Amino acid sequence: MAYVINDSCVSCGACVGECPVGAIGEGDGKFEIDAASCIDCGACAGSCPTGAIEQG
C-alpha cells in the first residue's frame, strides 16, 4: 500500500529528495505522493519533520 501525506504537511519539501522513484510532487496546498509510482520504501516518512507521511 502506498504512502500518503496528510494535512499535517507544511510543504517544506524534505521528503521530495528522499524518494528514490520521484513519486512526490507539489499538490494543492501540500505535497502529494503518486500511489502508482510509490514503491513503499518509507524513505519519505523518515524524513518528514511533522510526521505527515504514513502508509495509506
Side-chain angles (χ1 to χ4, degrees), residues 9-46:
C9 176
V10 295
S11 298
C12 69
C15 58
V16 176
E18 295 299 318
C19 182
V21 294
I24 303 173
E26 288 189 65
D28 188 23
K30 66 177 183 174
F31 279 82
E32 297 178 351
I33 298 173
D34 177 22
S37 300
C38 179
I39 59 171
D40 301 322
C41 68
C44 58

